Amino acid sequence: MAEQQLGVLKALDVAKTQLYHFTAIVIAGMGFFTDAYDLFCVSLVTKLLGRLYYFNPLSDKPGSLPPHVAAAVNGVALCGTLMGQLFFGWLGDKLGRKKVYGITLIMMIVCSVASGLSFGNKAKGVMTTLCFFRFWLGFGIGGDYPLSATIMSEYANKKTRGAFIAAVFAMQGIGILAGGFVALAVSSIFDKQFPSPTYAEDRVLSTPPQADYIWRIIVMFGALPAGLTYYWRMKMPETARYTALVAKNIKQATQDMSKVLQVELEMEERAEDIVKDPRLNYGLFSKEFLKRHGLPLLGCTSTWFLLDIAFYSQNLFQKDIFSAIGWIPKASTMNAIHEVFKIARAQTLIALCSTVPGYWFTVAFIDIMGRFAIQLMGFFMMTVFMFAIAFPYNHWIKPDNRIGFVVMYSLTFFFANFGPNATTFIVPAEIFPARLRSTCHGISAATGKAGAIVGAFGFLYAAQPQDKTKTDAGYPPGIGVKNSLIMLGVINFIGMLFTFLVPEPKGKSLEELSGETEAEK
């Protein structure tokens, strides 16, 4: 077998890091910024929605969303994302990355704005329209996963490809922080303009009618950064790997990349034959695909699935932690606006201390340590810290030990991001052939989102106390937080085992990884 790689792709692989790489990171990363912002900011305003639309003047506690409504508001976006990943992943291989990339962005902008313009002022109307638009927002966000990863990996050079894809993913962290900062700013402004008593002092006046604008402004703001990058997204040329290997137009690919790299590239003689080699045109459901990429695909899907169960279940004990540390006081001692401020402050602090640094550690070390080592280490550390929180759980929730609790909790999620949360996103964009790359990334990402749904909802029920009298309103008794944490530790351990199915792409060209350079002598 002679290894043959097209000259234009070789030029991309050995290109020095230059401005267009950073432009690509920002353009692809803005989708992720919006994605994290939108999925995250809703957790900052659910309490406010409960006070506004489910207020009961006879209750000692402020209104809160009934379990099925809370599940719908948080869950529809995840379901939409799952479907968007599959659909747009497939479409990105059919129509080209660039075309589909514009569609997903428009969807994200329109639905971000629309979810803040929900109809009517009755609970049912507002929640129904909010859920409807959040589903389609999720659908657009889903398309961004396979496309952003694929575009970045196809533009990058082989030496720093991991860091570039990780940098796109790290924009999620910045989106989370932005969500927190916007919520802090908006709630502070409203608090100055419309001071109101706490819930204990006056149940009706503790939620001023103007507070309805707060959540709408926070939710709609996510459209702004996405809108700003639309023009640049449309100006980016299609990736050379798609144009050459999928659309089979090597001349066009060479011209596009000459512009991008700002060098003269020549088209080789036998280029057409390499691309049209019939043995490299097997489909997703063929035996050949199964033989070459079956196990790696299983590795990518299973590790992402298991990781997201653990990653999205973190919301379970977030409330316990914040209340335990005293960052968020009892609901009845605050008015509606203060509550938004306190929740946003707590979430932003956790993000600043644990989540965001983890992302950038991955960017710094991924091309030194490699994907495999980071993923293995991340799963291992998450297992250790989950067990370390779970077994002495009753020790950690005592007021004296709460600082230790927060440190353990932060470390768990630091190693999720400096670990499998980043690598599961990066590897599927590197190891599959160009004509199936976006589809396979979409499949891996969608399996991950299925895990997220299990983590967010399965464990919401599982973590309820075993004693019927102590469960949250409307929930059946579960297995308790301690047992849930032990289960999560076991899940992380299984993720560590499945990591062994995933190949190491560090320092290799995409064509070498996917076997697309093989042609007869």
Side-chain angles (χ1 to χ4, degrees):
M1 295 291 239
E3 294 292 318
Q4 289 184 321
Q5 191 187 12
L6 295 175
V8 56
L9 305 185
K10 204 171 269 167
L12 277 171
D13 272 341
V14 299
K16 282 196 173 60
T17 301
Q18 43 196 307
L19 185 64
Y20 82 88
H21 285 122
F22 294 105
T23 324
I25 289 174
V26 173
I27 295 170
M30 265 314 155
F32 264 86
F33 175 95
T34 309
D35 156 28
Y37 182 97
D38 287 323
L39 289 182
F40 186 80
C41 73
V42 86
S43 66
L44 304 177
V45 296
T46 40
K47 290 266 193 284
L48 174 63
L49 289 169
R51 287 189 185 228
L52 283 163
Y53 296 105
Y54 292 91
F55 168 64
N56 174 5
L58 304 174
S59 164
D60 298 336
K61 289 182 183 166
S64 67
L65 298 180
H68 64 279
V69 179
V73 170
N74 291 311
V76 283
L78 291 175
C79 297
T81 308
L82 188 150
M83 293 166 78
Q85 285 161 335
L86 290 171
F87 176 70
F88 286 119
W90 166 80
L91 205 62
D93 282 333
K94 284 281 166 283
L95 299 180
R97 325 310 187 201
K98 179 189 163 165
K99 273 195 191 119
V100 182
Y101 214 29
I103 306 172
T104 58
L105 195 69
I106 292 171
M107 265 188 100
M108 283 156 75
I109 296 167
V110 171
C111 297
S112 259
V113 174
S115 49
L117 301 173
S118 54
F119 312 132
N121 52 7
K122 295 277 179 291
K124 200 169 184 183
V126 172
M127 292 302 149
T128 308
T129 49
L130 179 64
C131 288
F132 175 80
F133 287 118
R134 281 188 64 73
F135 174 83
W136 289 108
L137 172 66
F139 195 74
I141 286 173
D144 235 59
Y145 273 74
L147 290 165
S148 293
T150 303
I151 285 176
M152 201 60 239
S153 85
E154 294 186 338
Y155 262 114
N157 54 35
K158 62 183 180 190
K159 204 164 100 210
T160 53
R161 186 177 59 231
F164 287 155
I165 308 174
V168 169
F169 194 61
M171 295 290 271
Q172 260 192 341
I174 297 174
I176 290 175
L177 286 182
F181 288 138
V182 170
L184 289 170
V186 174
S187 55
S188 308
I189 294 166
F190 273 77
D191 189 41
K192 283 240 177 349
Q193 297 298 323
F194 311 105
S196 44
T198 66
Y199 189 81
E201 290 165 8
D202 187 321
R203 292 180 182 176
V204 178
L205 294 178
S206 70
T207 310
Q210 293 86 352
D212 193 44
Y213 292 112
I214 296 181
W215 71 269
R216 295 174 188 273
I217 294 170
I218 294 173
V219 168
M220 287 163 77
F221 190 83
L224 196 66
L228 295 175
T229 51
Y230 181 73
Y231 170 73
W232 298 109
R233 257 193 198 196
M234 292 296 85
K235 279 192 65 176
M236 257 176 118
E238 180 57 82
T239 70
R241 291 187 156 94
Y242 184 85
T243 314
L245 299 172
V246 187
K248 317 258 191 254
N249 186 345
I250 297 169
K251 193 171 161 200
Q252 185 63 47
T254 311
Q255 284 169 359
D256 286 347
M257 290 310 110
S258 296
K259 276 191 206 129
V260 171
L261 296 165
Q262 295 170 338
V263 291
E264 265 310 304
L265 295 173
E266 293 298 314
M267 190 174 145
E268 329 87 304
E269 299 281 294
R270 281 199 48 236
E272 300 288 334
D273 307 346
I274 300 177
V275 181
K276 292 189 174 148
D277 186 1
R279 278 163 315 125
L280 296 181
N281 287 335
Y282 52 89
L284 182 63
F285 298 105
S286 61
K287 276 191 183 149
E288 185 68 17
F289 179 85
L290 192 67
K291 193 177 86 187
R292 291 178 182 228
H293 307 291
L295 281 176
L297 185 61
L298 176 65
C300 290
T301 48
S302 55
T303 49
W304 204 335
F305 177 76
L306 294 162
L307 162 87
D308 269 10
I309 294 179
F311 194 75
Y312 279 81
S313 64
Q314 62 183 310
N315 311 337
L316 296 180
F317 25 78
Q318 220 155 23
K319 353 184 248 295
D320 306 341
I321 287 182
F322 294 154
S323 312
I325 328 166
W327 276 357
I328 299 180
K330 273 222 168 73
S332 53
T333 63
M334 298 180 282
N335 64 35
I337 300 175
H338 282 161
E339 190 173 35
V340 174
F341 184 86
K342 296 266 166 60
I343 294 172
R345 189 184 63 182
Q347 302 250 32
T348 310
L349 280 168
I350 284 278
L352 264 177
C353 304
S354 77
T355 3
V356 176
Y359 287 113
W360 294 104
F361 264 78
T362 306
V363 175
F365 291 109
I366 188 149
D367 287 310
I368 302 166
M369 290 169 63
R371 289 62 161 157
F372 180 77
I374 288 182
Q375 186 162 316
L376 207 59
M377 171 198 74
F379 269 130
F380 176 73
M381 297 308 252
M382 283 171 78
T383 310
V384 170
F385 287 120
M386 286 273 190
F387 284 150
I389 295 174
F391 289 113
Y393 184 69
N394 300 332
H395 160 87
W396 293 119
I397 47 181
K398 291 185 187 126
D400 305 346
N401 309 322
R402 55 196 186 193
I403 297 300
F405 190 15
V406 176
V407 171
M408 301 291 277
Y409 173 82
S410 298
L411 281 168
T412 311
F413 291 100
F414 169 79
F415 280 109
N417 288 331
F418 180 32
N421 194 28
T423 51
T424 49
F425 174 77
I426 294 165
V427 176
E430 302 182 301
I431 60 177
F432 298 108
R435 63 182 185 291
L436 300 170
R437 187 169 289 136
S438 151
T439 309
C440 291
H441 194 285
I443 292 170
S444 307
T447 326
K449 271 296 168 283
I453 294 167
V454 173
F457 301 108
F459 278 96
L460 194 60
Y461 286 92
Q464 295 299 328
Q466 289 162 329
D467 178 356
K468 262 196 193 119
T469 53
K470 292 180 183 165
T471 59
D472 292 347
Y475 286 97
I479 56 173
V481 175
K482 180 176 175 171
N483 293 337
S484 297
L485 282 166
I486 295 173
M487 271 180 73
L488 289 169
V490 173
I491 286 170
N492 287 324
F493 181 73
I494 300 170
M496 194 169 90
L497 300 179
F498 271 105
T499 300
F500 287 98
L501 295 176
V502 181
E504 173 58 78
K506 185 181 96 170
K508 295 178 179 164
S509 82
L510 293 177
E511 286 67 43
E512 189 185 339
L513 286 163
S514 62
E516 285 169 295
T517 50
E518 296 168 13
E520 288 293 339
K521 282 179 188 168

